[in-house]
Amino acid sequence: MLRFPSPPRHNAAEQLRGEVREFLSSAIATRTPLQRAESWNGFDRDFSKALGARGWLGMTWPKQYGGHERSAFERYVVVEETLAAGAPVSAHWIAERQSGPTLLKFGTEQQREEILPRIAAGDCVFCIGMSEPDSGSDLAATRTRAERVESGWRVTGTKLWTTNAHKADYMILFCRTSGTPADRHKGTSQLLIDMRGTEGMTVRPVLDLAGQHHFNEVHFNDAFVPETALIGTEGAGWNQVMSELAFERSGPERFLSSIQLLLELIEALRGSDSELAQITIGRLTAHLLTLRQLSRGVAALLEAREDASTHAAIVKDLGATFEQDLPEIARSLIDAEPDRQSTRDLLAVLAYTMMSAPSFSLRGGTREILRGIIARGLGVR
Ligand SMILES: Cc1cc2nc3c(=O)[nH]c(=O)nc-3n(C[C@H](O)[C@H](O)[C@H](O)COP(=O)(O)OP(=O)(O)OC[C@H]3O[C@@H](n4cnc5c(N)ncnc54)[C@H](O)[C@@H]3O)c2cc1C
């Protein structure tokens, strides 16, 4: 049976919470509620560097790579507090959560030494080159191809939905280095792409539902990538990428995306004598606390270096449902229309969250795929 361990009381982590809150109260004091709602998309290199300077990025990594050898719970506190406060995390987010741990686990010594300290300093932006026009969820059908040439590879293919490719220093590219898409998991690899100095690579913007530019299409047209770009083992890309996705699915980011809306809603309903409003806020709060407890259980598993992939998929699926339900619940409780331009914070935040919510069950693995993983983890598939 699947077990979510209770997280132990972690004094160092709880002490850290106060320090992080104090830092955030001045570092992001001027952010409006709408900007806070956009936390995931907020791109601010100076903020990321300030977090890095505090020692709050790459916290669990070895000191020799710029890390701080702190616990998964301490990292959890920093992530939780920055997201709950609506801090702009986009400039360090992908690198710190996902790409850094991948390099730590599979990268060459040179890659680790050159890149990990920069990520821990909040000074290195990464993007993820997994999805393609005809293979998003079905990553094994990847068609982007890297052919071996003298002293490196020639890469050809197209990546899609690549968040921050236009701002990134590096991409971790998932591609095929041998065989054909029919070989599925075999013959895939990961390459470290220099986003500034790779010739034959073009980045084109893709606007999202709200008209904002976060996504991109990245074309590789016989782009040359040096030998040293290989991450881990050639042909072992599938297992490496699955390990990377477990990092992506396990944190408090999986139920805090709509938190600003919940805060605005509580504020708007303050003093209301509506029984429905009181019951709804009570239920939402209980739901949030339960998700948090499950998510901290994942942190406990990570701390014990146990496999948490099924647990992480469960938290992500339940969390995305909670985050996605919030805008409609808010609408049913207040008599007002969402309006991004509104001077009423609740209405602007509601409009933004409504536009973003559909993506919560897509990014980081679609709902159907997660449920397949959960079914397999439970032995029922
Ligand atoms: C905000 C956001 C940021 C993103 N950032 C990145 C990024 O930085 N890098 C990146 O590589 N990608 C990124 N993505 C892409 C994301 O991972 C894709 O949306 C995802 O891979 C889905 O791909 P697709 O659009 O091709 O949909 P499809 O794979 O075509 O899926 C369409 C629908 O079919 C379902 N489906 C597909 N296959 C199966 C199956 N075998 N069984 C059951 N149902 C199935 C899916 O669950 C989904 O509901 C991002 C997405 C979002 C929303």
Side-chain angles (χ1 to χ4, degrees), residues 132-371:
E132 297 191 5
D134 295 312
S135 69
S137 302
D138 188 12
L139 210 51
T142 281
R143 285 187 303 187
T144 295
R145 215 179 164 83
E147 300 280 356
R148 254 197 193 284
V149 292
E150 205 187 322
S151 67
W153 282 270
R154 290 262 168 215
V155 183
T156 300
T158 301
K159 291 289 167 183
L160 187 58
W161 312 126
T162 324
T163 305
N164 286 346
H166 56 311
K167 294 175 176 169
D169 301 301
Y170 293 99
M171 169 196 280
I172 293 188
L173 173 76
F174 181 71
C175 61
R176 184 158 282 290
T177 42
S178 64
T180 71
D183 293 329
R184 305 292 294 169
H185 305 164
K186 283 190 284 179
T188 56
S189 302
Q190 287 183 298
L191 296 177
L192 181 68
I193 305 292
D194 179 349
M195 294 300 283
R196 314 248 172 225
T198 300
E199 279 181 28
M201 185 191 73
T202 324
V203 178
R204 293 196 196 133
V206 175
L207 300 189
D208 68 14
L209 205 58
Q212 294 185 327
H213 177 198
H214 304 290
F215 292 136
N216 298 275
E217 221 178 45
V218 184
H219 298 276
F220 293 90
N221 188 2
D222 253 349
F224 177 75
V225 176
E227 189 86 60
T228 50
L230 181 69
I231 300 171
T233 311
E234 187 185 341
W238 182 261
N239 287 341
Q240 291 179 198
V241 101
M242 289 302 121
S243 161
E244 179 180 331
L245 286 171
F247 296 121
E248 191 186 344
R249 291 176 181 153
S250 56
E253 59 269 33
R254 295 309 172 186
F255 54 87
L256 287 177
S257 314
S258 307
I259 191 72
Q260 190 64 35
L261 177 58
L262 182 58
L263 296 175
E264 296 299 330
L265 185 64
I266 291 171
E267 199 48 46
L269 294 173
R270 195 177 292 283
S272 158
D273 54 10
S274 153
E275 197 181 346
L276 176 65
Q278 287 168 6
I279 290 172
T280 308
I281 296 297
R283 282 183 72 122
L284 290 172
T285 309
H287 205 144
L288 185 62
L289 288 174
T290 310
L291 284 166
R292 178 173 189 260
Q293 192 69 359
L294 292 177
S295 170
R296 283 165 56 84
V298 176
L301 289 170
L302 291 178
E303 183 77 3
R305 305 205 184 283
E306 285 182 44
D307 177 17
S309 45
T310 307
H311 302 72
I314 290 173
V315 176
K316 181 179 183 301
D317 187 35
L318 293 174
T321 304
F322 172 77
E323 298 177 322
Q324 275 180 335
D325 287 349
L326 255 168
E328 276 313 313
I329 294 172
R331 257 162 76 90
S332 71
L333 291 178
I334 53 164
D335 183 20
E337 282 305 306
D339 175 6
R340 211 187 142 98
Q341 313 306 332
S342 174
T343 50
R344 277 186 67 193
D345 292 331
L346 172 66
L347 304 187
V349 170
L350 177 60
Y352 173 78
T353 312
M354 287 191 81
M355 294 287 243
S356 312
S359 74
F360 299 163
S361 56
L362 293 173
R363 63 186 186 194
T366 60
R367 173 163 287 141
E368 293 80 1
I369 299 300
L370 289 176
R371 292 187 178 174

Side-chain angles (χ1 to χ4, degrees), residues 74-94:
E74 287 168 291
R75 179 181 179 273
Y76 191 99
V77 162
V78 173
V79 175
E80 184 172 53
E81 291 297 327
T82 46
L83 291 174
V89 297
S90 180
H92 65 262
W93 191 232
I94 293 171

